[in-house]
Amino acid sequence: MLITKTIRLAISLYMVGFIAACTTTGNSSSDDPVVYLEHDEIRFMMQKLAAMVFNLEKLVGESPNLTDAERQYAVVEQLGEIEKVALKLGAGSGKTNHFLIDSGIDKLVNEIAAARTEANGTPPQYSTAQGLINQCRGCHLKR
């Protein structure tokens, strides 16, 4: 009977040790802290981005009330505002608690910068901005 209890105790300790080894974070390649994004904060920023992208779409399309220079200025400014929100969603070189944001935010910020550069050109080009609009629409229509 004592041998049975000893065996059970040994098996229990082994299982606890095995489970504990599987749950440690020692395998993490980065000691950077995770930036925690609240669900309501993400929702608010995404809604803000949606409104700005919708406005950008109207600016990139026909803007009969604006001169070409005014249109260019408005597009560049709107892209700058979109970039500010996108940067708030990311954690820079760190990670957030939101995998989908982490997996695409750097690419999004780079595309916004490319669209701003293209829109600032002489003559201004809006194809990258239109691609950004289409990318946002295409990704979110899937969800």
Side-chain angles (χ1 to χ4, degrees):
M1 195 181 269
L2 181 62
I3 295 175
T4 306
K5 286 183 181 183
T6 305
I7 292 174
R8 285 185 184 166
L9 179 63
I11 290 173
S12 297
L13 289 175
Y14 175 77
M15 293 302 294
V16 168
F18 178 75
I19 292 170
C22 291
T23 60
T24 61
T25 58
N27 295 339
S28 176
S29 62
S30 174
D31 293 331
D32 295 337
V34 172
V35 175
Y36 186 80
L37 298 173
E38 295 286 340
H39 179 72
D40 290 341
E41 181 183 16
I42 293 170
R43 176 178 282 160
F44 173 75
M45 286 191 280
M46 294 302 279
Q47 288 171 344
K48 193 173 181 179
L49 276 175
M52 288 189 280
V53 169
F54 179 73
N55 189 45
L56 179 65
E57 185 174 26
K58 290 186 341 187
L59 291 169
V60 168
E62 294 301 317
S63 303
N65 298 335
L66 301 174
T67 66
D68 288 343
E70 291 171 332
R71 178 181 180 203
Q72 180 181 20
Y73 178 79
V75 168
V76 170
E77 288 299 307
Q78 189 66 72
L79 285 165
E81 293 302 310
I82 292 170
E83 184 176 35
K84 287 177 190 176
V85 176
L87 287 170
K88 286 181 185 177
L89 276 171
S93 61
K95 293 191 182 286
T96 70
N97 59 314
H98 198 287
F99 175 75
L100 287 177
I101 291 174
D102 279 350
S103 66
I105 197 69
D106 292 335
K107 181 180 176 191
L108 177 66
V109 169
N110 289 337
E111 288 178 16
I112 294 167
R116 281 181 62 202
T117 299
E118 188 179 83
N120 255 332
T122 306
Q125 299 294 318
Y126 304 119
S127 59
T128 304
Q130 185 62 55
L132 182 67
I133 293 163
N134 294 339
Q135 179 183 353
C136 291
R137 181 182 292 133
C139 184
H140 287 282
L141 286 177
K142 293 178 190 175
R143 289 177 174 55

